[in-house]
Amino acid sequence: MTTLHELETPSLVLDRAILDRNLSRMQGRMDGLGVRLRPHVKTTKSFDVLRRTSAASITVSTLKEAEYFLEHGVTDILYAVGIAPGKLAHAAALIQRGANLTLILDNLAAAHAARALPVLIELDVDGHRSGVSPDSELLIDIAKTLGSSLRGVMTHAGESYNCASTGAIVAMAEQERAGAVRAAERLRAAGFDVPIVSVGSTPTATFAANLTGVTEVRAGVYMFHDLVMAGLGVCDIDDIALSVLVTVIGHQPERGWIITDGGWMALSRDRGTAKQQGYGVVHAGDGRALSDDLIVTSANQEHGIIARADGQRPDFTRYPVGSLLRILPNHACATGAQHTHYNVVEGSDSEVVARWDRINGW
Amino acid sequence: MTTLHELETPSLVLDRAILDRNLSRMQGRMDGLGVRLRPHVKTTKSFDVLRRTSAASITVSTLKEAEYFLEHGVTDILYAVGIAPGKLAHAAALIQRGANLTLILDNLAAAHAARALPVLIELDVDGHRSGVSPDSELLIDIAKTLGSSLRGVMTHAGESYNCASTGAIVAMAEQERAGAVRAAERLRAAGFDVPIVSVGSTPTATFAANLTGVTEVRAGVYMFHDLVMAGLGVCDIDDIALSVLVTVIGHQPERGWIITDGGWMALSRDRGTAKQQGYGVVHAGDGRALSDDLIVTSANQEHGIIARADGQRPDFTRYPVGSLLRILPNHACATGAQHTHYNVVEGSDSEVVARWDRINGW
C-alpha cells in the first residue's frame, strides 16, 4: 500500500473516518426531522463517496455529473441549475437512458421549452441569485405553462453562507422553509399537484429547527466541510475531511515564510467568505493540528507561501525542506475540483487505504 | 463542423488569430532584443498551442507538463518550481527517457539532494516569493554544493504583476535583469561556469528595454493575455484570446441581473489583481464587445451573475434566455485550468475550427 510519503505532491487527501462521521451526523439530523436527504454531489463528484451514504436520490450541478452517476446506477437525479434550452436534448437523452431526471427553471421562456420534461419551479427566498418570488403572479404563470410537467418547487438559501451568527442561520432556514411551503400552497390552491417541496444548503440543513411541509433537503459540502463552514459555526475544524498534502521546497527566513509546492492550482483561488484565513490553515503532514498558528498567506500557481498568522517567525527547523504539510481548504467544492482523485486515509495513519476517482468539467 | 451554438456551455473558447498575433509580437520583441524566448507552458498546457510558436525549449510548472511535452517530442525543458526532494526520482526518470530537463532550487538541502541533475540557482530580485539574494554568501555556497551540476541562474520578477504603471514595469525588468546578471558575474568570479541566465514574466518581457547578459526569457500568459494583463497596460482588451462561452438561463429584473450557467467553476475563483472587474468582462456570443458595460459581478459554482458596471439596469431583451455570451477572464492560467480543451475559433466566425486538448493536474 502507498503511504502519504510516497505521493507526489500536491495531492488531495480525504479522511474517511471524518467523512463517515459527517455523513451520519447529517443523515441523523434529517431522520430526526422526518425529511428525505437528497445529497448534492457537486462538492464530492465521486461515486465512491456517494456509496458511503444511504441516499438513493441525488442533486447535481452539471449534466456531466448526472451522466456519471447514472452510469453508476443512480437514477433519481435533480439537476439544480436553471435549465438552458440548449441542454434540453441532452437532458432528454439521459431520461431515455433511464434517468428519473428533474429540471429546474424560473422563467416562461424556459418553461415553454421544457414542457415535455419533469420540472421544479425555482424560488427566490433570500435575494441571493435565481428564482421567482413565492408570492409572485409569475409563479402561477410558469405552472400554467408547465402543466403536467410540474413536479413541485425548490429553493436554495445561498445567503445562509453570509449569516453572521448561528441564530441568523436558524432564521434563514425558517425563511427558506416558509417560502417554499407558501409557494407550494399557492400552487395547490390554484389546482396544481405539488408533490415535491425541496430546500437546502449545508448551513440551513444543519440548523433548521422545523421542516414541516418540506419533502426533501439538499446539501453537499457537509460531507467534507471546510474553513468557510467552520467560520460559520456549521462545523469544527476537526470535522474537515479534505486537505491538500504539500511539500516544503524552501524558506525565506527574513520574511518568516515557508515555501511549498501547493499553490492556488492545488488549493483553488477561493479565499473563503466567512472568515479570512488566506488560502487555508496548515496542519502537520499526518493531519494533526500544529502548535504554530500557520496559514497559507499567499499563493502563486504552483507555490504556496506559509507564515504564522500572528506575524511571528516560525521555527524553520520544524519544517525542513522535503517535509510534508496538509492545507485545510477554504472551500471544499473549489479545492476538490482542482484534482482528479482522492487519496483516502484514516486519521493520522499515513497509509493510503484507497484511491477514489472524481469527475470534473462539463 | 461544430458551431459555437452547438456547444454545451460553459465552454472554453480560444481565438486562433489573436493567439497567433500575441505569439508573433512577443517573438518579435525577443528577436529584437537578441534573446531566446523559452515559453512557459503553464498557462496553455497544450501541445497544439505550443506548436504555433517556433520555440524548441519550454518552461514548465509541473513534472506532469514535462512528461506530456516530452511525449510530444519537446526535450529542452526547465522545471521552474523549486525541486522537492521527493520529486527527484521522477525528474531523473524523465532525463533517462530523453528529456534535457533542468531543475531549480534555492537552498542547501535541495542542492545536496539534487547534485546529480542539471540545476539553476533561483534568485530573489523583488522579495516576491522564492530565491536567494544575488548578493548573498548562500549563492556561492549552493554553487559549491552543486559543483558540476550548476548550469546557471534564474529569476522571476513576480512583483511585476503589482506594478502601478508601465514605467514601473520597465524599472522592474531592469531590476530583474541586473540581479540575475550580478549573480552570474559573482559566480563566474568564484570560478563557476554560468552558461544560463534566465529571467522573465510577461510584464517584464513586454517592457524590458535592455537584456544584456541575459540568455533567455520566460513568459507564458502573453499567449492568451487576460484582464490582469490589460489592467497593467501589458495588452489591450482585444488582445485577449481566451474566453468562456456561457448561456443566459434567467433574469432578475428588479436587481438588474442576468443569470448564466458560467459560474466560478468555469471562470475560476480568480478575482484579478490589477483592476477589479468582478469575475470577468462580458462580450457578445460572437466575441464582439457590447455597448452595455457588462461584467460578471458575482459567481456561484455553476451560476454567474452579470450586471452593468455602472449599476444601471441592462436591456434584458438584448440577452434573452438561451442566448450566448463570452466572458473574458481575469487570469488566463486559472480559467484555462478549469477546462479540458479549447474550442478554437477565428474572430467573430462562430465555426469551431479545431478542438485542442490541454492537460491539468500533477
Side-chain angles (χ1 to χ4, degrees), chain A residues 8-10 42-43 45 61-63 65 80-85 87 90 106-107 109-110 122 124 127-131 247-252 255 257 259 261 264-266 269-270 300-303 305 321-322 331 333-334 337-339 361-362, chain B residues 8-10 42-43 45 61-63 65 80-85 87 90 106-107 109-110 122 124 127-131 247-252 255 257 259 261 264-266 269-270 300-303 305 321-322 331 333-334 337-339 361-362:
Chain A
E8 197 162 302
T9 54
K42 80 187 181 79
T43 309
K45 298 201 185 201
S61 70
T62 64
L63 290 182
E65 290 165 31
V81 176
I83 189 70
K87 291 179 179 138
H90 189 178
D106 68 355
N107 60 82
E122 183 176 13
D124 175 19
H128 179 68
R129 184 168 73 197
S130 300
T247 302
V248 174
I249 62 170
H251 302 131
Q252 292 289 18
R255 297 183 206 112
W257 291 352
I259 313 290
D261 62 1
W264 57 251
M265 190 65 86
R269 266 295 197 197
D270 201 292
N300 297 143
Q301 186 160 337
E302 298 289 348
H303 295 81
I305 298 180
V321 168
H331 188 170
C333 309
Q338 304 300 106
H339 298 263
W362 299 270
Chain B
E8 196 162 304
T9 54
K42 80 186 180 81
T43 309
K45 299 201 185 200
S61 69
T62 64
L63 290 181
E65 290 165 33
V81 176
I83 188 71
K87 291 178 179 138
H90 189 178
D106 69 354
N107 60 82
E122 183 175 13
D124 174 20
H128 179 67
R129 186 169 71 197
S130 300
T247 301
V248 175
I249 61 170
H251 302 133
Q252 292 290 16
R255 295 182 207 115
W257 291 351
I259 313 289
D261 62 0
W264 57 251
M265 190 64 86
R269 265 294 196 198
D270 201 291
N300 297 143
Q301 186 160 338
E302 299 290 347
H303 295 81
I305 297 180
V321 169
H331 188 171
C333 309
Q338 304 300 107
H339 299 264
W362 298 271

Side-chain angles (χ1 to χ4, degrees), chain B residues 9-43:
Chain B
T9 54
S11 294
L12 194 62
V13 174
L14 177 60
D15 188 312
R16 192 165 64 183
I18 301 177
L19 167 70
D20 286 347
R21 192 176 70 209
N22 292 342
L23 296 179
S24 73
R25 193 177 286 164
M26 182 61 86
Q27 188 61 57
R29 275 217 100 225
M30 292 302 109
D31 291 348
L33 288 161
V35 174
R36 175 171 62 163
L37 178 61
R38 181 189 283 276
H40 205 317
V41 298
K42 80 186 180 81
T43 309

Side-chain angles (χ1 to χ4, degrees), chain A residues 19 82 90 101 104 117 144 148 203 207 210 214 255 259 264 268 287 316 320 323 338 362:
Chain A
L19 168 69
H90 189 178
L101 180 69
I104 72 167
L117 304 176
K144 286 178 181 161
S148 63
F207 286 106
N210 164 30
V214 166
R255 297 183 206 112
I259 313 290
W264 57 251
S268 93
F316 291 105
S323 59
Q338 304 300 106
W362 299 270

